[in-house]
């Protein structure tokens, strides 16, 4: 009986385990996880940024000045309109100090920004020295061949650099001086010797002025420390002063005014900001529009629609004759009707 009972219990346990095993085998296996196909990229191809990514643009502006400020504003407005929240700006101002441009640009390179805007020649030169891979766009730069020491410059820098120029036609500026002051004889050309583009402008405009019958003398200052004495020397020996598009002069326009206006010597300026500070007239461009043009170039680069190495330097599309009403009245300078008064800056 004991053997029969043990045999019965063993048989029951065997059947129970078999049933459990059968249920485990019938249980469905879990569905495999979904896989995403990875498409290999060809070497050297850079994909367009996926939607949601953010472009970081570093902006190095040489100094706070109405013209440079306007160029930066136009550039940023254009990219914000193009990309919305998908673009961020690291805006840095060198406060007129050229070595600081190098510090700012080197930080941009270290941070790995997607594009650099170099606003003014020293900023562009610092960017060129810092990187040959990150796209660099210059603006408020007069002559790229001179600024970057490119022999036989043909309008396209190549490599990782392009941008926009603020050069107004120098022959037309010379003619403006002739139209306003046909009876004057001696023209003093005032500029900063540390700015290669300023030297280029005065050399070029001097040729045009001499063809028109003027006697020209160049007066250069090294920096803001000696500008007052140099301007005084120029005023003592000149009937008219010409000041090119020059960053140091722009930052010291009030100093120039305080020497020239009391002496009764008028100033023809290379750009509107300088004219607003010390001049009687200028052939002006819109620096905001120049910034907009630069922003459009940047958008094409960031979207992969253009190769910066093949993008020629762009120029302002139009020029306007403008005058400083206050100084013209003080000096009794009569302005033709086709000139536009410079609007006073908001306080």
């Amino acid at each position: 009986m004991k053997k029969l009972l043990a045999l019965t219990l063993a048989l029951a346990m065997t059947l129970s385990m078999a049933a459990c095993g059968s249920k485990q085998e019938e249980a469905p296996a879990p569905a495999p996880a979904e896989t995403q196909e990875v498409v290999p990229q060809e070497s050297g191809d850079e994909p367009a940024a996926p939607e949601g990514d953010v472009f970081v643009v570093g902006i190095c502006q040489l100094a706070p000045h109405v013209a440079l400020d306007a160029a930066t504003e136009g550039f940023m407005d254009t990219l914000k309109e193009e990309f919305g929240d998908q673009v961020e700006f690291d805006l840095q101002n060198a406060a007129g100090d050229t070595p600081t441009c190098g510090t700012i640009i080197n930080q941009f390179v270290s941070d790995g920004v997607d594009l650099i805007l170099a606003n003014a020649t020293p900023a562009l030169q610092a960017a060129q020295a810092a990187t040959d891979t990150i796209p660099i766009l210059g603006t408020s730069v007069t002559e790229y061949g001179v600024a970057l020491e490119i022999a036989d410059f043909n309008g396209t820098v190549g490599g990782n650099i392009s941008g926009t120029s603020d050069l107004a036609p120098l022959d037309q500026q010379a003619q403006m001086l002739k139209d306003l002051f046909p009876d004057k004889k001696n023209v003093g050309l005032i500029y900063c010797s540390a700015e290669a583009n300023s030297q280029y402008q005065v050399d070029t405009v001097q040729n045009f002025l001499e063809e028109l019958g003027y006697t020209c003398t160049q007066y250069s200052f090294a920096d803001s420390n000696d500008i007052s004495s140099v301007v005084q020397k120029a005023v003592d020996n000149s009937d008219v002063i010409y000041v090119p598009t020059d960053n140091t002069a722009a930052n010291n326009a009030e100093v120039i005014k305080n020497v020239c206006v009391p002496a009764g010597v008028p100033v023809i300026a290379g750009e509107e900001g300088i004219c607003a500070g010390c001049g009687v007239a200028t052939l002006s461009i819109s620096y905001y529009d120049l910034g907009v043009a630069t922003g459009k170039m940047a958008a094409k680069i960031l979207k992969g629609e253009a190769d910066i190495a093949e993008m020629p330097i762009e120029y302002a599309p139009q020029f306007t004759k403008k005058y400083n009403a206050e100084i013209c009245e003080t000096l009794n300078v009569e302005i033709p009707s086709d000139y536009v008064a410079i609007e006073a800056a908001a306080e």
Side-chain angles (χ1 to χ4, degrees):
M1 290 294 293
K2 290 180 179 180
K3 291 181 178 180
L4 181 60
L5 181 59
L7 182 61
T8 302
L9 290 172
L11 180 61
M13 291 178 65
T14 300
L15 292 172
S16 175
M17 292 176 65
C20 291
S22 176
K23 288 181 180 179
Q24 288 176 349
E25 290 174 1
E26 293 174 1
E34 293 184 3
T35 59
Q36 184 174 356
E37 182 180 2
V38 177
V39 179
Q41 276 185 239
E42 294 183 7
S43 177
D45 289 348
E46 294 186 7
E51 189 171 350
D53 281 9
V54 175
F55 295 112
V56 179
V57 177
I59 301 175
C60 178
Q61 181 175 317
L62 173 63
H65 179 262
V66 60
L68 304 186
D69 292 345
T72 294
E73 182 182 2
F75 176 81
M76 294 176 65
D77 285 351
T78 301
L79 285 184
K80 284 186 285 189
E81 182 178 348
E82 181 70 39
F83 295 107
D85 293 337
Q86 285 187 268
V87 63
E88 292 181 356
F89 302 100
D90 185 354
L91 174 57
Q92 301 291 329
N93 197 303
D97 184 61
T98 296
T100 301
C101 290
T103 303
I104 292 170
I105 297 291
N106 285 332
Q107 187 60 56
F108 290 162
V109 174
S110 177
D111 292 341
V113 299
D114 296 297
L115 184 142
I116 294 172
L117 174 71
N119 191 346
T121 298
L124 178 66
Q125 292 169 332
Q128 180 196 37
T131 178
D132 58 4
T133 55
I134 297 174
I136 300 167
L137 288 176
T139 193
S140 311
V141 176
T142 304
E143 172 58 43
Y144 282 74
V146 173
L148 302 178
E149 299 182 347
I150 303 173
D152 300 322
F153 180 60
N154 64 3
T156 301
V157 176
N160 63 321
I161 300 175
S162 188
T164 56
S165 169
D166 61 359
L167 180 63
L170 295 171
D171 59 339
Q172 293 183 37
Q173 292 184 38
Q175 186 60 51
M176 170 181 284
L177 191 151
K178 178 69 173 179
D179 292 342
L180 294 177
F181 307 107
D183 299 326
K184 303 295 185 183
K185 301 298 181 184
N186 299 307
V187 179
L189 309 171
I190 298 174
Y191 68 101
C192 179
S193 58
E195 299 187 32
N197 274 317
S198 297
Q199 182 72 68
Y200 167 80
Q201 290 174 82
V202 297
D203 286 345
T204 305
V205 81
Q206 178 172 339
N207 290 332
F208 291 125
L209 288 169
E210 289 176 345
E211 289 176 0
L212 294 172
Y214 291 96
T215 298
C216 300
T217 305
Q218 296 185 13
Y219 299 90
S220 65
F221 49 87
D223 53 39
S224 59
N225 294 322
D226 61 344
I227 188 170
S228 181
S229 60
V230 169
V231 173
Q232 185 63 62
K233 183 178 180 181
V235 165
D236 291 341
N237 297 280
S238 307
D239 302 315
V240 185
I241 297 294
Y242 174 80
V243 180
T245 301
D246 182 291
N247 293 300
T248 308
N251 290 333
N252 292 274
E254 188 73 16
V255 175
I256 299 173
K257 174 186 176 182
N258 291 340
V259 177
C260 293
V261 172
V265 177
V267 173
I268 297 295
E271 59 93 10
E272 182 176 338
I274 296 175
C275 188
C278 65
V280 295
T282 184
L283 188 63
S284 177
I285 68 169
S286 166
Y287 275 82
Y288 181 87
D289 290 347
L290 197 69
V292 168
T294 317
K296 290 179 179 178
M297 295 175 74
K300 292 178 181 178
I301 294 166
L302 293 173
K303 292 191 293 184
E305 295 177 354
D307 180 357
I308 190 171
E310 299 176 357
M311 300 177 79
I313 301 303
E314 297 188 13
Y315 294 82
Q318 61 185 17
F319 308 94
T320 305
K321 295 178 180 178
K322 290 194 173 184
Y323 71 101
N324 183 324
E326 178 184 352
I327 295 181
C328 285
E329 182 178 357
T330 300
L331 299 182
N332 295 315
V333 176
E334 294 186 7
I335 297 296
S337 60
D338 60 338
Y339 282 61
V340 177
I342 296 173
E343 297 181 4
E347 296 294 336

